[in-house]
């Protein structure tokens, strides 16, 4: 029995001239001398994956196959030879593993891998002498070489996807699934005679006087069978006279009159219609969809204990807004309904525990919701009341794929509500996809506008960080103990720098941005809410979702990159019928926003600084020159 030889890197370097295999990667295993030697050719681009980091992958392949694997250094027409040494079963196993890696790297049809098999010298034999050769010619001993070709499987071009057929199949599947489910009830509204008998002029006058409420069907109904839009209600009793517990909860909260959007939204939502609510921030949109949702849960045919999942699903773009909605839900104790707020950064185990105990309302951010749905922890098939809150912000943050994925699993006959501060094309697209003949309610105008209860002041300053901070420091020192301010910075780094300077100046504050731990973010909201501090430094993560009624000032330390974000920042003050002040530092680098800012200021009847108008005119001229030169890209420019 012949001795075994341990092949290591040194041995193969010394024998490179004999075996012509180049560099060798191996794990130091022992291989018998009498094994077969097979060479296959693989694409050069795949060798990196075959070797792995530090040779880890090729070592794993050798362990799993019990074959010796040697990869050549030489590149021949984009291919490299890989030599396999071992018995037949080991070689076949190694080939299978290598082909699997190669095919996963190269997704095109499988290549024609060339293979040659050479028996080891021990198996040499003498073939019969050639014919017509004299017997005195000695026979030659030679190696028998057998060449084989691994024939690739024949692949054909994939057929084009028939999307219409797939949609029909999906619709058919959803209809079959819906037919097996218990029907849902959506109408819970009994219109009082005093509301029903309002004349058209009375309704029109009421809507105009309540901040110009505009109501219409969002999309044309070809059938013309749409039900008439309900008249607005003037009091809480007119909306919830059949639900004394709801009225009691409203009285406890201290509200006296419905807000404009509530007075029109409640009759629509309680009637079972889909609705799109468009109104400025701080106008009561959360309560507009929440109270009908509580009634909807209690009014379903299937008992709560028999439902396989929540009844109400509320999607929000940020964890702050989701937590704020949860706080709002907990204010209104109705029938002992349970809720949970699921969001990234929160305690996942605790969220799962609450879900498994049973919940009626789920408030969620799209990312964490998808995570729990895909993990089969949360079942949304029983959801019959869905809310997309701040839909425009969710689209801005890139959540449309997650929204579509979840909404596909929710039952199709649900009632859907969507709220937004603006009405961009993306929101219209979502409405067409997931709502049935919705009614659009907007307060004021569909044009972007800031709340009129806020005094907006634009402070023109040089682009000098030191002067900007000194102006800001003066503002903080002049802030009264009974006043509260949110200070918006454009970057996390700026927020940290500003907060550090305040700490050195001995001024109490809190800070919130995407780099802060979730527990610290929640503590920051709590501290500004209860008055522990009266200054909150934030990035745009807080421009929506912070619902603190007594914020008196908003200061834009850095002007936002788009005018929509400016509107939402301003909306953090002047909430719940209060007034507020917004102060914005505006520098030369912000001149691209001047034109849109002037429109917002003029619409709200605010003072427009002359320097801002001049800056707008100069930017327009600069932009025109760049467009003529073909170099304008719409970037945030400096001059």
């Amino acid at each position: 029995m012949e001795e075994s030889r341990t092949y290591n890197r040194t041995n193969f370097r010394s024998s490179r001239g004999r075996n012509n295999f180049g560099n060798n990667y191996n794990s130091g295993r022992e291989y018998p001398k009498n094994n077969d030697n097979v060479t296959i050719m693989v694409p050069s681009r795949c060798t990196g994956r075959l070797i792995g980091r530090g040779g880890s992958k090729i070592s794993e392949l050798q362990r799993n196959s019990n074959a010796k694997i040697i990869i050549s250094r030489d590149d021949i027409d984009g291919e490299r030879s890989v030599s396999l040494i071992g018995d037949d079963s080991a070689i076949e196993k190694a080939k299978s593993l290598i082909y699997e890696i190669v095919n996963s790297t190269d997704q095109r049809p499988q290549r024609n891998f060339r293979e040659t098999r050479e028996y080891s010298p021990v198996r040499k034999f003498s073939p019969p002498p050639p014919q017509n050769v004299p017997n005195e010619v000695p026979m030659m001993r030679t190696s028998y070489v057998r060449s084989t070709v691994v024939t690739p499987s024949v692949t054909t071009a994939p057929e084009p996807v028939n999307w219409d057929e797939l949609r029909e199949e999906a619709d058919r599947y959803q209809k079959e699934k819906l037919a097996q489910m218990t029907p849902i009830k959506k109408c819970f509204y009994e219109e009082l005679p005093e509301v029903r008998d309002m004349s058209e002029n009375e309704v029109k006058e009421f809507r105009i006087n309540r901040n110009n409420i505009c109501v219409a069907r969002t999309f044309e109904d070809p059938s013309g069978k749409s039900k008439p839009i309900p008249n607005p209600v003037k009091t809480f009793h007119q909306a919830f006279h059949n639900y004394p517990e709801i009225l009691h909860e409203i009285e406890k909260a201290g509200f006296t009159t419905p807000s404009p959007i509530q007075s029109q939204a409640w009759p629509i939502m309680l009637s079972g219609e889909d609705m799109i609510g468009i109104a400025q921030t701080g106008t009561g949109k959360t309560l507009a969809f929440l109270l009908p949702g509580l009634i909807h849960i209690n009014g379903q045919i299937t008992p709560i204990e028999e439902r396989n999942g929540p009844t109400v699903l509320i999607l929000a773009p940020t964890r702050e807004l989701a937590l704020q909605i949860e706080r709002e839900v907990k204010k209104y104790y109705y029938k002992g309904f349970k809720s949970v707020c699921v969001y990234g950064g929160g305690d996942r185990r605790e969220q799962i525990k609450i879900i498994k105990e049973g919940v009626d309302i789920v408030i969620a951010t799209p990312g964490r919701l998808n995570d729990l749905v895909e993990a089969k922890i949360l079942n949304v098939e029983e959801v019959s009341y869905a809310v997309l809150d701040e839909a425009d912000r969710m689209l801005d943050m890139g959540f449309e794929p997650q929204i579509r994925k979840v909404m596909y699993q929710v039952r199709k006959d649900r009632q859907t509500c969507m709220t937004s501060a603006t009405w961009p094309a993306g929101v219209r697209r979502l409405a067409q996809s997931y709502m049935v003949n919705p009614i659009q309610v907007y307060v004021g105008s569909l044009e972007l506008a800031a709340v009129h209860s806020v005094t907006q002041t634009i402070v023109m300053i040089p682009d000098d960080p030191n002067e900007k901070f000194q102006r800001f420091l003066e503002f903080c020192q002049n802030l009264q103990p009974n006043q509260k301010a949110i200070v918006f910075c454009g970057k996390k780094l700026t927020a940290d720098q500003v907060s550090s300077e305040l700490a050195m100046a001995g001024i109490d504050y809190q800070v919130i941005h995407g780099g802060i731990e979730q527990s610290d973010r929640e503590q920051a909201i709590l501290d500004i809410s209860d008055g522990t501090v009266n200054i909150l430094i934030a990035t745009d993560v807080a421009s929506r979702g912070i619902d603190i009624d007594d914020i008196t000032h908003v200061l834009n330390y850095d002007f936002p990159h788009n005018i929509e974000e400016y509107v939402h920042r301003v909306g953090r003050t002047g909430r719940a019928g209060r007034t507020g002040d917004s102060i914005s530092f505006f520098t030369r680098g912000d001149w691209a926003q001047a034109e849109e800012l002037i429109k917002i200021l003029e619409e709200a009847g605010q003072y427009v600084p002359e320097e801002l108008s001049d800056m707008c005119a100069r930017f327009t001229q600069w932009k025109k020159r760049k467009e003529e030169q073909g170099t304008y890209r719409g970037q945030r420019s400096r001059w």
Side-chain angles (χ1 to χ4, degrees), residues 481 484 525-534 550:
K484 294 181 181 180
I525 299 295
L526 182 62
D527 287 349
I528 189 72
S529 299
D530 63 17
T532 303
V533 299
N534 63 345
D550 56 350

Side-chain angles (χ1 to χ4, degrees), residues 40-95:
I40 62 175
M41 304 298 293
V42 300
S44 298
R45 63 178 172 275
C46 302
T47 54
R49 290 196 61 185
L50 291 177
I51 295 170
R53 188 171 184 176
S56 59
K57 188 62 181 178
I58 202 165
S59 298
E60 179 186 339
L61 292 173
Q62 292 182 135
R63 284 195 304 271
N64 293 340
S65 66
N66 204 33
K68 182 77 177 95
I69 302 175
I70 306 171
I71 300 178
S72 171
R73 181 190 293 270
D74 300 328
D75 187 297
I76 304 173
D77 296 330
E79 293 182 324
R80 293 191 184 186
S81 62
V82 178
S83 297
L84 310 176
I85 301 174
D87 57 32
D88 288 345
S89 61
I91 288 175
E92 291 302 318
K93 178 65 174 177
K95 282 164 50 181

Side-chain angles (χ1 to χ4, degrees), residues 361-628:
I361 305 170
V362 171
I363 307 112
T365 54
R368 177 55 61 90
L369 179 65
N370 263 280
D371 173 30
L372 297 178
V373 171
E374 289 181 358
K376 307 295 184 184
I377 294 168
L378 179 61
N379 179 17
V380 295
E381 292 183 356
E382 293 284 345
V383 169
S384 54
Y385 188 95
V387 178
L388 304 179
D389 197 16
E390 300 282 13
D392 52 345
R393 178 64 167 166
M394 285 195 282
L395 295 183
D396 289 343
M397 296 175 71
F399 285 133
E400 184 170 356
Q402 290 91 332
I403 294 171
R404 290 187 176 277
K405 196 169 184 180
V406 169
M407 293 299 287
Y408 178 78
Q409 299 184 56
V410 176
R411 58 186 300 164
K412 223 174 178 183
D413 61 343
R414 64 185 175 268
Q415 184 176 2
T416 309
C417 174
M418 183 185 295
T419 76
S420 180
T422 56
W423 184 234
V427 176
R428 292 196 292 272
R429 188 172 61 248
L430 275 184
Q432 284 182 311
S433 299
Y434 300 112
M435 307 185 83
V436 179
N437 199 16
I439 297 174
Q440 186 180 75
V441 179
Y442 57 93
V443 179
S445 170
L446 280 180
E447 297 296 325
L448 191 64
V451 287
H452 289 201
S453 57
V454 177
T455 301
Q456 302 174 59
T457 304
I458 307 300
V459 180
M460 310 297 295
I461 62 173
D463 206 352
D464 180 4
N466 292 329
E467 182 167 346
K468 179 188 279 192
F469 180 75
Q470 288 304 317
R471 295 279 191 99
F472 167 61
L473 191 59
E474 291 175 12
F475 166 82
C476 294
Q477 292 169 341
N478 293 329
L479 202 64
Q480 300 301 310
N482 63 337
Q483 295 176 329
K484 294 181 181 180
I486 299 180
V487 180
F488 286 104
C489 299
K491 299 178 181 178
K492 294 184 287 186
L493 178 61
T494 307
D496 289 336
Q497 290 172 342
V498 168
S499 59
S500 298
E501 293 291 343
L502 284 188
M504 294 175 65
I507 298 175
D508 291 334
Y509 67 92
Q510 265 289 11
V511 62
I512 178 174
H513 58 65
I516 300 292
E517 292 290 335
Q518 181 60 33
S519 57
D520 294 332
R521 292 168 69 164
E522 293 176 12
Q523 187 62 49
I525 299 295
L526 182 62
D527 287 349
I528 189 72
S529 299
D530 63 17
T532 303
V533 299
N534 63 345
I535 297 174
L536 177 65
I537 301 168
T539 55
D540 283 327
V541 72
S543 64
R544 308 191 196 193
I546 296 183
D547 189 15
I548 303 171
D549 292 339
D550 56 350
I551 294 294
T552 58
H553 291 76
V554 164
L555 188 141
N556 288 311
Y557 190 87
D558 297 319
F559 200 83
H561 289 274
N562 60 72
I563 204 65
E564 288 83 3
E565 206 57 58
Y566 170 80
V567 170
H568 293 298
R569 289 183 181 183
V570 171
R572 295 307 101 196
T573 186
R575 301 174 74 86
R578 295 178 172 85
T579 58
D581 288 281
S582 167
I583 302 169
S584 301
F585 293 158
F586 203 90
T587 69
R588 295 184 304 174
D590 303 312
W591 70 335
Q593 308 298 327
E595 182 178 1
E596 294 296 329
L597 176 59
I598 290 173
K599 292 179 182 178
I600 297 294
L601 295 173
E602 289 177 342
E603 192 277 335
Q606 305 290 319
Y607 172 70
V608 179
E610 184 177 347
E611 189 176 348
L612 183 64
S613 298
D614 293 341
M615 188 179 289
C616 176
R618 288 194 296 272
F619 175 76
T620 302
Q621 294 173 0
W622 175 88
K623 179 181 173 182
K624 184 178 180 181
R625 288 198 305 271
K626 291 295 182 181
E627 287 176 343
E628 290 173 352

